Amino acid sequence: MEVKEIKENLGKEVFYKPPYSKKLIRYILNAYIFRLDTKDSKKYLKQAELKDTSSPNSIIITSLDEVKLKI
């Protein structure tokens, strides 16, 4: 997912493949996190907060590169 696609997809379904799974799972894009990397102060981290559709109290913080809009 690109940074320019975040605003229009907040609160909508996106897909993410967890490391333990072979298939894409549906999540809701809840937030975008942009912060400075603690190991290298010249790099920035672009992360997404994903809310699970089956259990609303569960969230995942992952790299924005791992989130997909379509299957």
Side-chain angles (χ1 to χ4, degrees):
M1 175 183 275
E2 297 291 325
V3 176
K4 61 184 177 183
E5 299 169 324
I6 294 171
K7 188 175 180 179
E8 60 193 38
N9 289 300
L10 275 174
K12 295 183 182 175
E13 275 191 355
V14 293
F15 297 93
Y16 168 68
K17 182 182 153 297
Y20 58 83
S21 177
K22 293 184 178 181
K23 63 179 183 173
L24 292 171
I25 301 174
R26 293 178 187 195
Y27 288 92
I28 296 174
L29 181 61
N30 203 32
Y32 170 63
I33 303 164
F34 182 76
R35 62 182 175 168
L36 192 61
D37 191 353
T38 57
K39 295 178 183 175
D40 186 4
S41 62
K42 295 180 182 178
K43 290 185 180 179
Y44 292 96
L45 298 174
K46 299 173 188 168
Q47 298 174 322
E49 179 182 296
L50 305 176
K51 187 165 74 170
D52 196 350
T53 56
S54 60
S55 62
N57 292 330
S58 174
I59 63 166
I60 294 176
I61 306 291
T62 185
S63 173
L64 192 62
D65 298 331
E66 298 175 3
V67 178
K68 307 216 180 314
L69 291 176
K70 297 180 182 177
I71 296 178

Coordinates of all heavy atoms in Angstrom, one line a residue:
M1 N 0.8 -1.2 0.0 CA 0.0 0.0 0.0 C 0.9 1.2 0.0 O 1.9 1.3 0.7 CB -0.9 0.0 1.2 CG -1.7 1.2 1.4 SD -2.7 1.3 2.8 CE -4.1 0.4 2.3
E2 N 0.5 2.2 -0.8 CA 1.2 3.5 -0.8 C 0.7 4.5 0.2 O -0.5 4.4 0.6 CB 1.1 4.1 -2.2 CG 1.7 3.2 -3.3 CD 3.2 3.1 -3.3 OE1 3.8 4.1 -2.9 OE2 3.8 2.1 -3.6
V3 N 1.5 5.4 0.6 CA 1.1 6.4 1.6 C -0.1 7.2 1.0 O -1.0 7.6 1.8 CB 2.3 7.3 1.9 CG1 1.8 8.5 2.9 CG2 3.4 6.5 2.6
K4 N -0.1 7.5 -0.3 CA -1.2 8.3 -0.8 C -2.6 7.6 -0.8 O -3.6 8.3 -1.0 CB -0.8 8.8 -2.3 CG -0.7 7.6 -3.2 CD -0.2 8.1 -4.6 CE 0.0 6.9 -5.5 NZ 0.6 7.3 -6.8
E5 N -2.6 6.3 -0.6 CA -3.8 5.6 -0.6 C -4.4 5.4 0.8 O -5.5 4.9 1.0 CB -3.6 4.2 -1.1 CG -3.1 4.1 -2.6 CD -2.6 2.8 -3.0 OE1 -2.0 2.1 -2.2 OE2 -2.8 2.5 -4.2
I6 N -3.7 5.9 1.8 CA -4.2 5.7 3.2 C -5.5 6.5 3.5 O -6.4 6.0 4.1 CB -3.1 6.2 4.2 CG1 -1.9 5.2 4.0 CG2 -3.6 6.2 5.6 CD1 -0.7 5.6 4.8
K7 N -5.5 7.8 3.2 CA -6.6 8.6 3.5 C -8.0 8.1 3.0 O -9.0 8.1 3.7 CB -6.4 10.0 3.0 CG -7.4 11.0 3.5 CD -7.1 12.4 3.1 CE -8.1 13.4 3.6 NZ -7.7 14.8 3.2
E8 N -8.0 7.6 1.8 CA -9.2 7.1 1.2 C -9.6 5.7 1.7 O -10.7 5.3 1.5 CB -9.2 7.1 -0.3 CG -8.1 6.3 -0.9 CD -7.8 6.5 -2.4 OE1 -7.9 7.7 -2.8 OE2 -7.6 5.6 -3.1
N9 N -8.7 5.0 2.3 CA -8.9 3.6 2.8 C -9.0 3.5 4.3 O -9.2 2.4 4.8 CB -7.9 2.7 2.2 CG -8.0 2.5 0.8 OD1 -9.1 2.0 0.3 ND2 -7.0 2.9 0.0
L10 N -8.9 4.6 5.1 CA -9.1 4.5 6.5 C -10.5 4.0 6.8 O -11.5 4.6 6.3 CB -8.8 5.8 7.2 CG -7.4 6.1 7.5 CD1 -7.2 7.5 8.0 CD2 -6.8 5.2 8.4
G11 N -10.6 3.0 7.7 CA -11.9 2.5 8.1 C -12.5 1.5 7.1 O -13.6 1.0 7.3
K12 N -11.7 1.2 6.0 CA -12.2 0.2 5.0 C -11.4 -1.1 5.2 O -10.4 -1.2 5.8 CB -12.0 0.8 3.6 CG -12.9 2.0 3.4 CD -12.8 2.5 2.0 CE -13.7 3.7 1.8 NZ -13.5 4.3 0.5
E13 N -11.9 -2.1 4.5 CA -11.3 -3.4 4.5 C -10.0 -3.5 3.7 O -10.0 -2.9 2.6 CB -12.2 -4.5 4.0 CG -13.1 -5.1 5.0 CD -13.8 -6.3 4.5 OE1 -13.7 -6.7 3.3 OE2 -14.6 -6.9 5.3
V14 N -9.0 -4.0 4.3 CA -7.7 -4.3 3.6 C -7.3 -5.7 3.9 O -7.9 -6.4 4.6 CB -6.6 -3.3 4.0 CG1 -6.9 -1.9 3.6 CG2 -6.4 -3.4 5.5
F15 N -6.2 -6.2 3.2 CA -5.8 -7.6 3.4 C -4.4 -7.6 3.9 O -3.5 -6.8 3.5 CB -5.9 -8.3 2.0 CG -7.3 -8.4 1.5 CD1 -7.8 -7.5 0.7 CD2 -8.1 -9.4 2.0 CE1 -9.1 -7.5 0.2 CE2 -9.4 -9.5 1.5 CZ -9.9 -8.6 0.7
Y16 N -4.1 -8.6 4.7 CA -2.8 -8.8 5.3 C -2.5 -10.3 5.5 O -3.4 -11.0 5.9 CB -2.7 -8.1 6.7 CG -1.5 -8.4 7.5 CD1 -0.3 -8.0 7.2 CD2 -1.7 -9.2 8.7 CE1 0.8 -8.3 7.9 CE2 -0.6 -9.5 9.5 CZ 0.7 -9.1 9.1 OH 1.8 -9.4 9.8
K17 N -1.3 -10.7 5.1 CA -0.9 -12.1 5.3 C 0.0 -12.2 6.5 O 1.2 -11.8 6.4 CB -0.2 -12.6 4.0 CG 0.2 -14.0 4.0 CD 0.9 -14.4 2.8 CE 1.8 -15.5 2.9 NZ 2.9 -15.3 3.8
P18 N -0.5 -12.8 7.6 CA 0.4 -13.0 8.7 C 1.5 -14.0 8.4 O 1.3 -14.8 7.6 CB -0.6 -13.6 9.8 CG -1.9 -13.2 9.3 CD -1.9 -13.2 7.8
P19 N 2.6 -13.9 9.1 CA 3.7 -14.8 8.9 C 3.4 -16.3 9.1 O 4.0 -17.2 8.5 CB 4.8 -14.4 9.9 CG 4.3 -13.2 10.6 CD 2.9 -12.9 10.2
Y20 N 2.4 -16.6 10.0 CA 2.0 -18.0 10.3 C 1.0 -18.5 9.3 O 0.6 -19.7 9.4 CB 1.5 -18.1 11.7 CG 0.3 -17.2 12.0 CD1 -1.0 -17.6 11.6 CD2 0.5 -15.9 12.5 CE1 -2.0 -16.8 11.9 CE2 -0.6 -15.1 12.8 CZ -1.9 -15.6 12.4 OH -2.9 -14.8 12.7
S21 N 0.5 -17.7 8.4 CA -0.6 -18.1 7.5 C -0.2 -18.1 6.0 O 0.7 -17.3 5.7 CB -1.8 -17.2 7.7 OG -2.8 -17.5 6.8
K22 N -0.8 -18.9 5.2 CA -0.5 -18.9 3.8 C -1.6 -18.1 3.0 O -1.4 -17.9 1.8 CB -0.5 -20.3 3.2 CG 0.6 -21.1 3.8 CD 0.7 -22.5 3.2 CE 1.9 -23.3 3.7 NZ 2.0 -24.6 3.1
K23 N -2.6 -17.6 3.7 CA -3.7 -16.9 2.9 C -3.8 -15.5 3.5 O -3.4 -15.2 4.6 CB -5.0 -17.6 3.1 CG -5.5 -17.7 4.4 CD -6.9 -18.4 4.4 CE -7.4 -18.5 5.9 NZ -8.8 -19.0 5.9
L24 N -4.4 -14.6 2.7 CA -4.7 -13.2 3.1 C -5.9 -13.2 4.0 O -6.9 -13.9 3.7 CB -4.9 -12.4 1.9 CG -3.6 -12.1 1.0 CD1 -4.0 -11.4 -0.3 CD2 -2.6 -11.3 1.7
I25 N -5.8 -12.4 5.0 CA -6.9 -12.2 6.0 C -7.4 -10.8 5.9 O -6.6 -9.9 5.8 CB -6.5 -12.6 7.4 CG1 -6.0 -14.1 7.4 CG2 -7.6 -12.5 8.4 CD1 -5.4 -14.5 8.7
R26 N -8.8 -10.6 6.0 CA -9.4 -9.3 6.0 C -9.2 -8.6 7.3 O -9.5 -9.2 8.4 CB -10.8 -9.4 5.6 CG -11.1 -9.9 4.3 CD -12.5 -10.0 4.0 NE -12.7 -10.6 2.7 CZ -13.9 -10.6 2.1 NH1 -14.9 -10.1 2.6 NH2 -13.9 -11.2 0.9
Y27 N -8.8 -7.3 7.3 CA -8.7 -6.5 8.4 C -9.3 -5.1 8.1 O -9.5 -4.8 6.9 CB -7.3 -6.3 8.9 CG -6.7 -7.5 9.5 CD1 -6.0 -8.5 8.8 CD2 -6.8 -7.7 10.9 CE1 -5.4 -9.6 9.3 CE2 -6.2 -8.9 11.5 CZ -5.6 -9.8 10.7 OH -5.0 -10.9 11.3
I28 N -9.5 -4.3 9.0 CA -9.9 -2.9 8.8 C -8.8 -2.0 9.1 O -8.1 -2.1 10.2 CB -11.1 -2.5 9.7 CG1 -12.3 -3.4 9.3 CG2 -11.5 -1.1 9.6 CD1 -13.5 -3.3 10.1
L29 N -8.4 -1.1 8.2 CA -7.3 -0.1 8.4 C -7.8 0.9 9.4 O -8.7 1.7 9.1 CB -6.9 0.5 7.0 CG -5.8 1.5 7.1 CD1 -4.5 0.8 7.6 CD2 -5.6 2.1 5.7
N30 N -7.2 0.9 10.5 CA -7.7 1.7 11.6 C -6.9 3.0 11.8 O -7.4 4.0 12.1 CB -7.6 0.9 12.9 CG -8.5 1.4 14.0 OD1 -9.6 1.9 13.7 ND2 -8.1 1.2 15.2
A31 N -5.5 2.9 11.6 CA -4.7 4.1 11.7 C -3.4 3.9 10.9 O -3.0 2.8 10.5 CB -4.4 4.3 13.2
Y32 N -2.7 5.1 10.7 CA -1.4 5.1 10.1 C -0.4 5.7 11.1 O -0.7 6.7 11.7 CB -1.5 6.0 8.8 CG -0.2 6.3 8.2 CD1 0.6 5.3 7.6 CD2 0.3 7.6 8.1 CE1 1.8 5.5 7.0 CE2 1.5 7.9 7.5 CZ 2.2 6.9 7.0 OH 3.4 7.1 6.4
I33 N 0.7 5.0 11.2 CA 1.7 5.5 12.2 C 3.0 5.8 11.4 O 3.5 5.0 10.7 CB 2.0 4.4 13.2 CG1 0.7 4.0 13.9 CG2 3.1 4.8 14.2 CD1 0.8 2.7 14.7
F34 N 3.5 7.0 11.6 CA 4.7 7.5 10.9 C 5.6 8.0 12.0 O 5.3 9.0 12.7 CB 4.3 8.6 9.9 CG 5.5 9.2 9.2 CD1 6.0 8.4 8.1 CD2 6.1 10.4 9.5 CE1 7.1 8.9 7.4 CE2 7.1 10.8 8.8 CZ 7.6 10.1 7.7
R35 N 6.7 7.3 12.2 CA 7.6 7.7 13.3 C 9.1 7.5 12.9 O 9.4 6.7 11.9 CB 7.3 6.9 14.6 CG 7.5 5.4 14.4 CD 7.1 4.8 15.7 NE 7.1 3.3 15.6 CZ 7.1 2.5 16.5 NH1 6.9 2.9 17.8 NH2 7.1 1.2 16.3
L36 N 10.0 8.0 13.7 CA 11.4 7.9 13.5 C 11.9 6.6 14.0 O 11.5 6.1 15.0 CB 12.1 9.1 14.2 CG 13.6 9.3 13.9 CD1 13.8 9.7 12.5 CD2 14.1 10.4 14.8
D37 N 12.8 5.9 13.2 CA 13.4 4.7 13.6 C 14.4 4.9 14.7 O 15.2 5.8 14.6 CB 14.1 4.1 12.4 CG 14.5 2.6 12.6 OD1 14.4 2.1 13.7 OD2 15.0 2.0 11.6
T38 N 14.2 4.1 15.8 CA 15.1 4.2 16.9 C 16.5 3.8 16.7 O 17.5 4.2 17.3 CB 14.5 3.5 18.1 OG1 14.4 2.1 17.8 CG2 13.2 4.1 18.6
K39 N 16.7 2.8 15.7 CA 18.0 2.3 15.4 C 18.8 3.2 14.5 O 20.0 3.3 14.5 CB 17.9 0.9 14.8 CG 17.4 -0.1 15.8 CD 17.2 -1.4 15.2 CE 16.6 -2.4 16.2 NZ 16.3 -3.7 15.6
D40 N 18.1 3.8 13.5 CA 18.7 4.7 12.6 C 17.9 6.0 12.5 O 16.8 6.0 11.9 CB 18.8 4.0 11.2 CG 19.6 4.8 10.2 OD1 20.1 5.9 10.5 OD2 19.6 4.3 9.0
S41 N 18.5 7.1 13.0 CA 17.7 8.3 13.1 C 17.5 9.0 11.7 O 16.8 10.0 11.6 CB 18.4 9.3 14.0 OG 19.7 9.6 13.5
K42 N 18.0 8.4 10.6 CA 17.8 9.0 9.3 C 16.7 8.3 8.6 O 16.3 8.7 7.5 CB 19.1 8.9 8.5 CG 20.2 9.7 9.0 CD 21.4 9.6 8.2 CE 22.5 10.4 8.8 NZ 23.8 10.3 8.0
K43 N 16.1 7.2 9.2 CA 15.0 6.4 8.5 C 13.7 6.7 9.3 O 13.7 6.9 10.5 CB 15.4 5.0 8.5 CG 16.5 4.6 7.6 CD 16.6 3.1 7.6 CE 17.8 2.7 6.7 NZ 17.9 1.2 6.7
Y44 N 12.6 6.5 8.6 CA 11.3 6.6 9.1 C 10.6 5.3 9.0 O 10.8 4.6 8.0 CB 10.5 7.7 8.4 CG 11.0 9.1 8.7 CD1 11.9 9.7 7.8 CD2 10.7 9.7 9.9 CE1 12.4 11.0 8.1 CE2 11.2 11.0 10.2 CZ 12.0 11.6 9.3 OH 12.5 12.9 9.6
L45 N 9.7 5.0 9.9 CA 8.9 3.8 9.9 C 7.5 4.1 9.5 O 6.9 5.1 10.0 CB 8.9 3.1 11.3 CG 10.2 2.6 11.8 CD1 10.0 2.1 13.2 CD2 10.7 1.5 11.0
K46 N 7.0 3.4 8.5 CA 5.6 3.6 8.0 C 4.8 2.4 8.4 O 5.1 1.3 7.9 CB 5.6 3.9 6.5 CG 6.3 5.1 6.1 CD 6.4 5.2 4.6 CE 7.3 6.3 4.3 NZ 7.7 6.3 2.8
Q47 N 3.9 2.5 9.4 CA 3.2 1.4 9.9 C 1.7 1.6 9.8 O 1.2 2.7 9.8 CB 3.6 1.1 11.4 CG 5.1 0.8 11.5 CD 5.5 0.7 13.0 OE1 5.0 1.4 13.8 NE2 6.4 -0.2 13.3
A48 N 1.0 0.5 9.8 CA -0.5 0.5 9.8 C -1.0 -0.2 11.0 O -0.4 -1.2 11.4 CB -1.0 -0.2 8.5
E49 N -2.1 0.3 11.6 CA -2.8 -0.4 12.6 C -4.0 -1.0 12.0 O -4.9 -0.3 11.5 CB -3.2 0.6 13.7 CG -4.0 0.0 14.9 CD -4.4 1.0 15.9 OE1 -3.5 1.6 16.5 OE2 -5.6 1.2 16.0
L50 N -4.1 -2.3 12.1 CA -5.2 -3.1 11.5 C -6.1 -3.7 12.6 O -5.6 -4.2 13.6 CB -4.6 -4.2 10.7 CG -3.6 -3.8 9.6 CD1 -3.1 -5.0 8.9 CD2 -4.3 -2.9 8.6
K51 N -7.4 -3.5 12.5 CA -8.3 -4.1 13.4 C -8.9 -5.3 12.8 O -9.4 -5.4 11.7 CB -9.4 -3.0 13.7 CG -10.4 -3.5 14.8 CD -11.2 -2.3 15.4 CE -12.3 -1.9 14.4 NZ -13.2 -1.0 14.9
D52 N -8.9 -6.4 13.6 CA -9.5 -7.7 13.2 C -11.0 -7.6 13.0 O -11.7 -7.0 13.9 CB -9.2 -8.8 14.2 CG -9.3 -10.2 13.7 OD1 -9.9 -10.3 12.6 OD2 -8.9 -11.1 14.4
T53 N -11.5 -8.1 11.9 CA -13.0 -8.1 11.7 C -13.7 -9.0 12.5 O -14.9 -8.8 12.8 CB -13.3 -8.3 10.2 OG1 -12.7 -9.6 9.8 CG2 -12.7 -7.3 9.3
S54 N -13.1 -10.1 12.9 CA -13.9 -11.1 13.7 C -13.9 -10.8 15.2 O -14.8 -11.2 15.9 CB -13.3 -12.5 13.4 OG -11.9 -12.6 13.8
S55 N -12.8 -10.2 15.7 CA -12.8 -9.8 17.1 C -12.3 -8.4 17.2 O -11.2 -8.0 17.0 CB -11.8 -10.7 17.9 OG -10.5 -10.6 17.4
P56 N -13.3 -7.5 17.5 CA -13.0 -6.0 17.4 C -12.0 -5.5 18.4 O -11.5 -4.4 18.2 CB -14.4 -5.4 17.6 CG -15.3 -6.4 18.1 CD -14.7 -7.8 17.8
N57 N -11.7 -6.2 19.4 CA -10.7 -5.8 20.4 C -9.3 -6.2 20.1 O -8.4 -5.9 20.9 CB -11.1 -6.3 21.8 CG -12.4 -5.7 22.3 OD1 -12.7 -4.6 22.0 ND2 -13.1 -6.4 23.1
S58 N -9.1 -6.8 19.0 CA -7.7 -7.2 18.6 C -7.2 -6.3 17.4 O -7.9 -6.1 16.4 CB -7.9 -8.7 18.1 OG -6.6 -9.1 17.5
I59 N -6.0 -5.9 17.6 CA -5.3 -5.0 16.6 C -3.9 -5.6 16.3 O -3.3 -6.3 17.1 CB -5.2 -3.6 17.0 CG1 -4.3 -3.4 18.2 CG2 -6.5 -2.9 17.2 CD1 -3.9 -2.0 18.4
I60 N -3.4 -5.2 15.1 CA -2.1 -5.6 14.7 C -1.4 -4.4 14.2 O -2.0 -3.6 13.4 CB -2.2 -6.6 13.5 CG1 -2.8 -8.0 14.0 CG2 -0.8 -6.9 12.9 CD1 -3.0 -9.0 12.9
I61 N -0.1 -4.2 14.6 CA 0.7 -3.1 14.1 C 1.7 -3.8 13.1 O 2.4 -4.7 13.5 CB 1.5 -2.4 15.2 CG1 0.5 -1.9 16.3 CG2 2.3 -1.2 14.6 CD1 -0.4 -0.8 15.9
T62 N 1.7 -3.4 11.9 CA 2.6 -4.0 10.9 C 3.1 -2.9 9.9 O 2.7 -1.8 9.9 CB 1.8 -5.1 10.1 OG1 2.7 -5.7 9.2 CG2 0.7 -4.5 9.3
S63 N 4.1 -3.3 9.1 CA 4.7 -2.4 8.1 C 3.6 -2.1 7.1 O 2.8 -3.0 6.7 CB 5.9 -3.1 7.5 OG 6.3 -2.3 6.4
L64 N 3.6 -0.9 6.6 CA 2.6 -0.5 5.6 C 2.9 -1.3 4.3 O 1.9 -1.5 3.5 CB 2.8 1.0 5.3 CG 1.7 1.6 4.5 CD1 0.3 1.5 5.2 CD2 2.0 3.1 4.3
D65 N 4.1 -1.7 4.0 CA 4.4 -2.5 2.8 C 3.7 -3.9 2.8 O 3.5 -4.4 1.7 CB 5.9 -2.7 2.7 CG 6.6 -1.4 2.5 OD1 6.0 -0.4 2.0 OD2 7.8 -1.3 2.9
E66 N 3.3 -4.4 3.9 CA 2.7 -5.7 4.0 C 1.2 -5.7 3.8 O 0.6 -6.7 3.8 CB 3.1 -6.4 5.3 CG 4.6 -6.6 5.4 CD 5.0 -7.2 6.8 OE1 4.1 -7.4 7.6 OE2 6.2 -7.3 7.0
V67 N 0.6 -4.5 3.8 CA -0.8 -4.4 3.7 C -1.2 -4.2 2.2 O -0.6 -3.5 1.5 CB -1.3 -3.1 4.5 CG1 -2.8 -2.9 4.3 CG2 -0.9 -3.2 5.9
K68 N -2.2 -5.0 1.8 CA -2.7 -5.0 0.4 C -4.1 -4.5 0.3 O -4.9 -4.8 1.2 CB -2.6 -6.3 -0.2 CG -1.2 -7.0 0.0 CD -0.8 -7.8 -1.2 CE 0.5 -8.4 -1.0 NZ 1.6 -7.6 -0.6
L69 N -4.5 -3.8 -0.7 CA -5.8 -3.3 -0.9 C -6.8 -4.4 -1.5 O -7.9 -4.5 -1.1 CB -5.9 -2.1 -1.8 CG -5.3 -0.8 -1.2 CD1 -5.3 0.3 -2.3 CD2 -6.0 -0.4 0.0
K70 N -6.2 -5.2 -2.4 CA -7.0 -6.2 -3.1 C -6.3 -7.5 -3.1 O -5.1 -7.6 -2.9 CB -7.3 -5.8 -4.5 CG -8.1 -4.6 -4.7 CD -8.4 -4.3 -6.1 CE -9.2 -3.0 -6.2 NZ -9.4 -2.6 -7.6
I71 N -7.0 -8.6 -3.2 CA -6.4 -10.0 -3.3 C -5.6 -10.1 -4.6 O -5.9 -9.8 -5.6 CB -7.5 -11.0 -3.2 CG1 -8.1 -10.9 -1.8 CG2 -6.9 -12.4 -3.3 CD1 -9.2 -11.9 -1.5

